[in-house]
Amino acid sequence: MANAEGWAIELQGDKIDIDDARASLQPPFDPWMEDYSVGAGSTVPLLRTTAWATFTEASDVTRDAQRIVERLNGGALLIHSDAKPLCVGGVLKFDAAGNRMPIIFTAAGQITLTGGRARGRVSAAASGTPTESSMQRWLREADADDDRAALFSHLARAENWYDLYKSAELVRKLAGGNSALRTALGSDWTYWERMWRTANCYRHAPNPVDYPLPTPPAKLEESREFLFKVAPRFL
């Protein structure tokens, strides 16, 4: 199948995470993924979006792709909590016939190979009429909502208490405030409050008077898993 006209960015990362992105970024919705054949049965996974149609410089494409991929990495954790980040590779451009045009700008990417992960997938053909995925909707809505955009960025970095706290803070805001969040969470509120107090303590310099740890404090990995489970309810 010929590649669409316009700019494209190579996505780099573990195969399982590339396949996750491909499953949630399907055409005809935007952004989408497609493959570029490099011969001998090999392909390069590409990120595509109509948002780059007006760009004239490869550097602008790369810069905007980094913004999208950061949000994509944050959203991926809400679908698969073991997702690993993707990164931006080289820039490609295709003409109206789908032929690759010469581009001399290349971004340096990094691939981290990890094993032991698997997915059960439903093929596009088996899933019926194409519909916009949750990921595509999240990315579209983040373009118009700074709180959603910030949430995905913090989620992508939430391997520490500071970014976990900022993510939780944004989830609370999207839920409509503390009271609305408590009602929506129901029995999950107890752990939310423990996670919140723990994160609030560790994001500050040690201050047991103003920011005391709950007993027992929440654990970082459990808190990440919990947050990734809860956040989609408010997106």
Short mmCIF file of all heavy atoms in Angstrom, two decimals, residues 175-206:
data_model
loop_
_atom_site.label_atom_id
_atom_site.label_comp_id
_atom_site.label_asym_id
_atom_site.label_seq_id
_atom_site.Cartn_x
_atom_site.Cartn_y
_atom_site.Cartn_z
N ALA A 175 -11.58 15.70 37.18
CA ALA A 175 -12.75 15.07 37.80
C ALA A 175 -13.75 16.10 38.32
O ALA A 175 -14.90 15.75 38.62
CB ALA A 175 -12.31 14.16 38.94
N GLY A 176 -13.31 17.36 38.46
CA GLY A 176 -14.20 18.40 38.96
C GLY A 176 -13.95 18.80 40.39
O GLY A 176 -14.80 19.44 41.02
N GLY A 177 -12.77 18.42 40.92
CA GLY A 177 -12.43 18.80 42.28
C GLY A 177 -12.45 17.62 43.23
O GLY A 177 -12.84 16.50 42.88
N ASN A 178 -12.03 17.86 44.46
CA ASN A 178 -11.84 16.79 45.44
C ASN A 178 -13.14 16.08 45.78
O ASN A 178 -13.19 14.85 45.86
CB ASN A 178 -11.21 17.37 46.71
CG ASN A 178 -10.26 16.40 47.37
OD1 ASN A 178 -9.38 15.87 46.70
ND2 ASN A 178 -10.43 16.17 48.66
N SER A 179 -14.21 16.84 45.97
CA SER A 179 -15.48 16.24 46.35
C SER A 179 -16.03 15.35 45.24
O SER A 179 -16.48 14.23 45.48
CB SER A 179 -16.50 17.33 46.70
OG SER A 179 -17.75 16.77 47.04
N ALA A 180 -15.98 15.86 44.00
CA ALA A 180 -16.46 15.08 42.86
C ALA A 180 -15.60 13.84 42.66
O ALA A 180 -16.11 12.76 42.34
CB ALA A 180 -16.45 15.94 41.59
N LEU A 181 -14.30 13.98 42.86
CA LEU A 181 -13.41 12.83 42.71
C LEU A 181 -13.71 11.77 43.75
O LEU A 181 -13.76 10.57 43.43
CB LEU A 181 -11.96 13.29 42.84
CG LEU A 181 -10.89 12.20 42.75
CD1 LEU A 181 -10.89 11.56 41.37
CD2 LEU A 181 -9.52 12.77 43.07
N ARG A 182 -13.92 12.19 44.98
CA ARG A 182 -14.21 11.23 46.05
C ARG A 182 -15.47 10.44 45.74
O ARG A 182 -15.53 9.22 45.93
CB ARG A 182 -14.35 11.97 47.39
CG ARG A 182 -14.61 11.04 48.56
CD ARG A 182 -14.49 11.78 49.88
NE ARG A 182 -14.59 10.86 51.00
CZ ARG A 182 -14.26 11.16 52.25
NH1 ARG A 182 -13.81 12.38 52.54
NH2 ARG A 182 -14.36 10.27 53.21
N THR A 183 -16.50 11.14 45.27
CA THR A 183 -17.75 10.46 44.92
C THR A 183 -17.53 9.48 43.77
O THR A 183 -18.02 8.35 43.80
CB THR A 183 -18.81 11.50 44.52
OG1 THR A 183 -19.06 12.37 45.62
CG2 THR A 183 -20.10 10.82 44.10
N ALA A 184 -16.78 9.91 42.76
CA ALA A 184 -16.56 9.06 41.59
C ALA A 184 -15.72 7.83 41.92
O ALA A 184 -15.95 6.75 41.38
CB ALA A 184 -15.88 9.87 40.49
N LEU A 185 -14.77 7.97 42.84
CA LEU A 185 -13.88 6.86 43.15
C LEU A 185 -14.52 5.82 44.07
O LEU A 185 -14.14 4.66 44.04
CB LEU A 185 -12.59 7.38 43.79
CG LEU A 185 -11.63 8.12 42.86
CD1 LEU A 185 -10.37 8.53 43.63
CD2 LEU A 185 -11.26 7.28 41.65
N GLY A 186 -15.46 6.23 44.87
CA GLY A 186 -16.10 5.27 45.77
C GLY A 186 -15.10 4.60 46.68
O GLY A 186 -14.32 5.25 47.39
N SER A 187 -15.06 3.27 46.63
CA SER A 187 -14.17 2.53 47.53
C SER A 187 -12.69 2.74 47.22
O SER A 187 -11.83 2.46 48.07
CB SER A 187 -14.49 1.03 47.46
OG SER A 187 -14.30 0.54 46.13
N ASP A 188 -12.38 3.24 46.02
CA ASP A 188 -10.98 3.51 45.68
C ASP A 188 -10.44 4.78 46.35
O ASP A 188 -9.23 5.05 46.28
CB ASP A 188 -10.82 3.66 44.15
CG ASP A 188 -10.82 2.32 43.44
OD1 ASP A 188 -10.42 1.32 44.06
OD2 ASP A 188 -11.23 2.27 42.26
N TRP A 189 -11.33 5.54 46.97
CA TRP A 189 -10.90 6.79 47.58
C TRP A 189 -9.86 6.57 48.69
O TRP A 189 -8.93 7.36 48.84
CB TRP A 189 -12.09 7.56 48.14
CG TRP A 189 -11.68 8.78 48.92
CD1 TRP A 189 -11.63 8.93 50.27
CD2 TRP A 189 -11.20 10.01 48.37
NE1 TRP A 189 -11.18 10.17 50.61
CE2 TRP A 189 -10.91 10.87 49.46
CE3 TRP A 189 -11.01 10.49 47.08
CZ2 TRP A 189 -10.43 12.16 49.29
CZ3 TRP A 189 -10.54 11.78 46.90
CH2 TRP A 189 -10.25 12.60 47.99
N THR A 190 -10.02 5.50 49.44
CA THR A 190 -9.10 5.25 50.56
C THR A 190 -7.67 5.15 50.07
O THR A 190 -6.76 5.77 50.64
CB THR A 190 -9.50 3.95 51.29
OG1 THR A 190 -10.83 4.09 51.80
CG2 THR A 190 -8.55 3.68 52.46
N TYR A 191 -7.46 4.38 49.01
CA TYR A 191 -6.09 4.27 48.51
C TYR A 191 -5.66 5.57 47.84
O TYR A 191 -4.48 5.97 47.94
CB TYR A 191 -5.93 3.10 47.52
CG TYR A 191 -4.47 2.85 47.21
CD1 TYR A 191 -3.72 2.02 48.03
CD2 TYR A 191 -3.84 3.48 46.15
CE1 TYR A 191 -2.36 1.81 47.79
CE2 TYR A 191 -2.49 3.29 45.90
CZ TYR A 191 -1.76 2.45 46.72
OH TYR A 191 -0.41 2.27 46.48
N TRP A 192 -6.58 6.23 47.14
CA TRP A 192 -6.23 7.52 46.51
C TRP A 192 -5.66 8.49 47.56
O TRP A 192 -4.63 9.13 47.33
CB TRP A 192 -7.44 8.14 45.83
CG TRP A 192 -7.17 9.53 45.32
CD1 TRP A 192 -7.22 10.69 46.03
CD2 TRP A 192 -6.76 9.89 44.00
NE1 TRP A 192 -6.87 11.76 45.24
CE2 TRP A 192 -6.58 11.30 43.99
CE3 TRP A 192 -6.53 9.18 42.83
CZ2 TRP A 192 -6.19 12.00 42.84
CZ3 TRP A 192 -6.14 9.87 41.68
CH2 TRP A 192 -5.98 11.26 41.70
N GLU A 193 -6.35 8.60 48.70
CA GLU A 193 -5.91 9.55 49.72
C GLU A 193 -4.53 9.16 50.27
O GLU A 193 -3.69 10.04 50.51
CB GLU A 193 -6.94 9.59 50.85
CG GLU A 193 -6.70 10.72 51.84
CD GLU A 193 -7.84 10.88 52.83
OE1 GLU A 193 -8.47 9.85 53.18
OE2 GLU A 193 -8.10 12.01 53.26
N ARG A 194 -4.28 7.87 50.43
CA ARG A 194 -2.97 7.43 50.92
C ARG A 194 -1.89 7.72 49.89
O ARG A 194 -0.79 8.18 50.22
CB ARG A 194 -3.02 5.93 51.25
CG ARG A 194 -1.72 5.39 51.81
CD ARG A 194 -1.96 4.23 52.76
NE ARG A 194 -2.57 3.08 52.10
CZ ARG A 194 -1.90 2.01 51.70
NH1 ARG A 194 -0.58 1.95 51.88
NH2 ARG A 194 -2.53 1.00 51.14
N MET A 195 -2.20 7.45 48.62
CA MET A 195 -1.25 7.75 47.55
C MET A 195 -0.98 9.25 47.48
O MET A 195 0.18 9.69 47.37
CB MET A 195 -1.82 7.29 46.20
CG MET A 195 -0.97 7.65 45.00
SD MET A 195 -1.88 7.47 43.42
CE MET A 195 -2.99 8.88 43.51
N TRP A 196 -2.02 10.05 47.57
CA TRP A 196 -1.91 11.50 47.48
C TRP A 196 -1.03 12.05 48.61
O TRP A 196 -0.12 12.84 48.36
CB TRP A 196 -3.30 12.13 47.54
CG TRP A 196 -3.31 13.62 47.50
CD1 TRP A 196 -3.14 14.48 48.54
CD2 TRP A 196 -3.49 14.43 46.34
NE1 TRP A 196 -3.21 15.78 48.11
CE2 TRP A 196 -3.43 15.78 46.76
CE3 TRP A 196 -3.72 14.16 44.99
CZ2 TRP A 196 -3.58 16.84 45.88
CZ3 TRP A 196 -3.87 15.23 44.12
CH2 TRP A 196 -3.79 16.55 44.56
N ARG A 197 -1.29 11.63 49.83
CA ARG A 197 -0.53 12.11 50.97
C ARG A 197 0.94 11.68 50.89
O ARG A 197 1.84 12.44 51.22
CB ARG A 197 -1.17 11.62 52.27
CG ARG A 197 -2.50 12.29 52.61
CD ARG A 197 -3.09 11.70 53.88
NE ARG A 197 -2.15 11.84 55.00
CZ ARG A 197 -2.24 11.15 56.12
NH1 ARG A 197 -3.21 10.24 56.27
NH2 ARG A 197 -1.37 11.34 57.11
N THR A 198 1.16 10.45 50.43
CA THR A 198 2.54 9.98 50.28
C THR A 198 3.28 10.79 49.23
O THR A 198 4.41 11.24 49.45
CB THR A 198 2.55 8.49 49.89
OG1 THR A 198 1.84 7.73 50.87
CG2 THR A 198 3.98 7.97 49.78
N ALA A 199 2.63 10.99 48.07
CA ALA A 199 3.26 11.76 47.00
C ALA A 199 3.50 13.20 47.43
O ALA A 199 4.54 13.79 47.12
CB ALA A 199 2.38 11.71 45.75
N ASN A 200 2.56 13.77 48.16
CA ASN A 200 2.69 15.16 48.61
C ASN A 200 3.85 15.30 49.59
O ASN A 200 4.54 16.33 49.60
CB ASN A 200 1.39 15.61 49.26
CG ASN A 200 1.34 17.13 49.44
OD1 ASN A 200 1.90 17.88 48.64
ND2 ASN A 200 0.66 17.57 50.48
N CYS A 201 4.07 14.28 50.39
CA CYS A 201 5.20 14.30 51.31
C CYS A 201 6.53 14.22 50.57
O CYS A 201 7.42 15.03 50.77
CB CYS A 201 5.07 13.15 52.31
SG CYS A 201 6.51 12.96 53.39
N TYR A 202 6.65 13.25 49.68
CA TYR A 202 7.93 13.00 49.02
C TYR A 202 8.28 14.03 47.97
O TYR A 202 9.45 14.14 47.59
CB TYR A 202 7.92 11.61 48.39
CG TYR A 202 8.08 10.49 49.38
CD1 TYR A 202 7.29 9.34 49.29
CD2 TYR A 202 9.02 10.56 50.40
CE1 TYR A 202 7.43 8.30 50.20
CE2 TYR A 202 9.16 9.53 51.32
CZ TYR A 202 8.37 8.40 51.21
OH TYR A 202 8.51 7.39 52.11
N ARG A 203 7.31 14.82 47.51
CA ARG A 203 7.64 15.83 46.50
C ARG A 203 8.25 17.08 47.16
O ARG A 203 8.77 17.94 46.48
CB ARG A 203 6.42 16.20 45.68
CG ARG A 203 5.42 17.12 46.37
CD ARG A 203 4.16 17.31 45.56
NE ARG A 203 3.22 18.20 46.23
CZ ARG A 203 3.04 19.49 45.91
NH1 ARG A 203 3.75 20.03 44.93
NH2 ARG A 203 2.17 20.23 46.56
N HIS A 204 8.15 17.18 48.48
CA HIS A 204 8.72 18.30 49.22
C HIS A 204 10.03 17.90 49.91
O HIS A 204 10.34 16.71 50.03
CB HIS A 204 7.76 18.78 50.31
CG HIS A 204 6.55 19.48 49.79
ND1 HIS A 204 5.34 18.83 49.57
CD2 HIS A 204 6.35 20.78 49.43
CE1 HIS A 204 4.45 19.70 49.12
NE2 HIS A 204 5.04 20.88 49.02
N ALA A 205 10.78 18.87 50.33
CA ALA A 205 11.88 18.59 51.25
C ALA A 205 11.28 18.00 52.53
O ALA A 205 10.14 18.29 52.88
CB ALA A 205 12.65 19.88 51.56
N PRO A 206 12.01 17.14 53.22
CA PRO A 206 11.46 16.49 54.42
C PRO A 206 10.85 17.50 55.40
O PRO A 206 11.49 18.45 55.81
CB PRO A 206 12.68 15.79 55.03
CG PRO A 206 13.57 15.53 53.86
CD PRO A 206 13.38 16.70 52.94
#
